[in-house]
Structures are given as structure tokens and as C-alpha cells.
Amino acid sequence: MSEQPNRSASVERLRELVDACAALVAFTGAGISTESGIPDFRSPGSPWLAMPPIDYGTFVRSEAARREAWRRKFAMDDLHQGALPNRGHLALARLVARGTAAGIITQNIDGLHQASGVPDEAVVELHGNGTYARCLECGRRHELAPLRARFEETGEAPRCEACDGPVKSATISFGQAMPDAAMRRATEFTLACDLFLVAGSSLVVHPAAGFPTLARQAGSRLVIVNREPTGLDGLADLVVEGEIGPVLGALAPAAH
Ligand code: NAD
């Protein structure tokens, strides 16, 4: 049998599950943003893996590592400048707007769910947000544009003008503690849903990747939409192997 009929049958099954559910929660990874031009983490040619990631401990200890982290951050920002929400983000936003989806738990740091119109309170960012920065000592928020202007002028890694603490992009690095409030809200969303929809994650980064398993254990249905197999496919009620844009777009088409 060709692949196409299987795929359309599974998209049809997904639509039935979505129509029948009382509370859907989406769980997204870097794969939902590739259609917006932001490369994912693990696919071949990933710019993220071209250099070994700088872990949290190294960032805190080393001024040279902080400079390098900021150099990479601004270089990546240039690559993704102007990225807009795509069909996948917009379909999820429609599911939230019509009340089918209670919320979105995301591992992404690109802010594209909020940019697609999902209210802040319906988005849980497990790995933080790369569109601003925070002082690691006093927690003060810093905007990127002035940090960048100073970095380009002085070549020094940014420090907080209030307390002189090191300033870091508001993302969670390897080795950094997970944000308590986000973990709590993600757990609440996961335990309250009856359909947990994963889109675009290799499901290998923990503890984030524990949420699909938790949902399944709590009695929710689990659906995984991804272009390649994941380690949790065996646990899922339905696996849709395909591109997120057309699959989610078919679930919640835009009104004409
Ligand atoms: P990952 O790169 O490990 O996995 C992404 C998965 O999505 C892969 O299995 C890939 O085959 C699939 N995929 C890619 N494009 C797809 C498409 N259009 N349709 C269907 N499937 C597609 O990503 P992850 O599991 O999210 O883990 C990576 C970590 O890196 C995350 O924690 C995240 O914080 C960070 N990250 C974020 C971004 C972002 O914010 N956009 C980008 C890169 C990395």
C-alpha cells in the first residue's frame, strides 16, 4: 500500500479524536517551527549542534563562555530574524480560540505560539524564552536590543546595571534548573486533559519528554505528529508520520 492513504487515514482518525475530546493539550518541540525557517535541534545539519552547547555551570563560571554564548545568540537571532508563525502554530491557535485546546506546553524558546495569537496564560514555556534576557542574580528582565548594542560596542558579556550580576538569555540551558512555575502548570495541564497531542519533538530531552508519558498514565489519549519515529511511538494511541503544517492545518482549517 502506498504511504499516502495511510497518512490520510491517520489524519482522519486524528480529526475524530480531536472532535471527540473534552480537553486537548498540545506539546510542541522544535519541529513545529522548522516551517517558519528555524532549524530544529537534532535533524541533520543542525546549526545548534555544530558547536558543543555551553552548559549553565560553564556560563556562570566563565566570562569567556558568556561572551561566546552571547556571540552565538546574536548570530542565531540574525538567522531567524522575521520568523513568523506557520500553519502548525496557527492551527493550534485556532484550537485554543475555539476552546478545544486548553493550552500548549512548549519546549520552544521562539515565542511563536504567542505570536500566533495564543494568550500568554495558555502557553507554558518549559525551556524559557529567547526573545529577552534576565539577570541571574536579581532576576531583572533585560531587552535584547540594548544588550546587543552594548555587546557590539564593548565586546563584553552583558551585566545587570542594577546589581552587576551576569545577564543570560531567558532560556533554560543544559544543566540549569527547570522553572518551577512552568513545570507545575505543565503538570496541571497534562493531568487535566483527555487528549495530549505531541507535535515536532524527538522526545529525548528530559524532564520535558516525561509529560507525554504522564498524560498516558493519567488516562489521556496520546497522539504524536512527527516526520520521523520517536521513542514514545509505542505508547501512543495514534502516530501520524508527516509534516506538521499540513497535518495540523487539516485539523483546524482557517475560516474563509
Ligand atoms: P528536536 O530537534 O530534538 O526534534 C524535532 C523533531 O521534529 C525531530 O524528530 C524532527 O524530525 C521533527 N520535525 C522537524 N520539522 C518537522 C516538520 N515540519 N514536521 C514534522 N516533524 C518535524 O527538538 P525538541 O524535541 O524540541 O528538542 C530540542 C530542544 O532544543 C528543545 O528543548 C528546545 O528548547 C530547543 N530548540 C528550540 C527551538 C525553537 O524554539 N524553535 C529550535 C531548536 C532547538
Side-chain angles (χ1 to χ4, degrees):
M1 197 191 282
S2 78
E3 206 188 341
Q4 202 49 44
N6 285 336
R7 180 152 327 136
S8 45
S10 52
V11 173
E12 196 39 51
R13 177 70 188 131
L14 174 55
R15 193 202 311 272
E16 286 166 13
L17 291 175
V18 170
D19 288 346
C21 80
L24 182 156
V25 165
F27 178 90
T28 62
I32 198 170
S33 294
T34 55
E35 195 178 299
S36 298
I38 303 178
D40 67 17
F41 198 68
R42 279 176 191 77
S43 290
S46 161
W48 311 91
L49 290 178
M51 290 163 284
I54 296 168
D55 66 33
Y56 184 68
T58 308
F59 184 95
V60 170
R61 276 192 309 275
S62 159
E63 163 69 19
R66 288 196 289 277
R67 272 200 305 270
E68 173 60 10
W70 278 104
R71 187 195 65 74
R72 289 185 196 177
K73 159 79 183 140
F74 293 134
M76 287 303 261
D77 283 358
D78 285 346
L79 284 180
H80 309 151
Q81 211 179 22
L84 293 172
N86 64 54
R87 293 176 287 178
H89 298 106
L90 294 169
L92 291 182
R94 287 192 289 274
L95 290 177
V96 172
R98 76 183 199 204
T100 306
I104 299 171
I105 303 169
T106 189
Q107 300 170 87
N108 294 345
I109 56 172
D110 54 29
L112 289 182
H113 287 301
Q114 294 91 328
S116 72
V118 180
D120 285 351
E121 59 276 15
V123 182
V124 180
E125 293 177 316
L126 289 176
H127 294 162
N129 187 310
T131 64
Y132 59 93
R134 281 206 190 276
C135 170
L136 293 182
E137 274 167 27
C138 71
R140 172 187 278 225
R141 176 179 166 135
H142 293 257
E143 303 311 321
L144 295 180
L147 292 184
R148 182 171 186 158
R150 228 172 308 136
F151 180 71
E152 286 172 354
E153 195 185 309
T154 66
E156 298 296 319
R159 302 199 72 89
C160 179
E161 70 272 15
C163 76
D164 200 38
V167 173
K168 180 179 170 296
S169 153
T171 53
I172 305 297
S173 300
F174 289 110
Q176 188 171 1
M178 292 294 282
D180 283 343
M183 286 297 283
R184 226 178 6 256
R185 284 183 63 224
T187 304
E188 285 163 9
F189 269 139
T190 302
L191 294 178
C193 73
D194 64 351
L195 181 60
F196 194 89
L197 172 63
V198 175
S201 176
S202 58
L203 297 176
V204 297
V205 179
H206 283 271
F211 286 104
T213 308
L214 177 64
R216 196 70 191 78
Q217 284 164 348
S220 169
R221 285 201 155 110
L222 174 63
V223 176
I224 297 175
V225 181
N226 210 54
R227 64 157 72 125
E228 61 179 4
T230 77
L232 293 187
D233 287 359
L235 199 67
D237 296 277
L238 176 68
V239 175
V240 184
E241 209 171 301
E243 293 297 303
I244 292 166
V247 171
L248 296 191
L251 269 191
H256 292 293

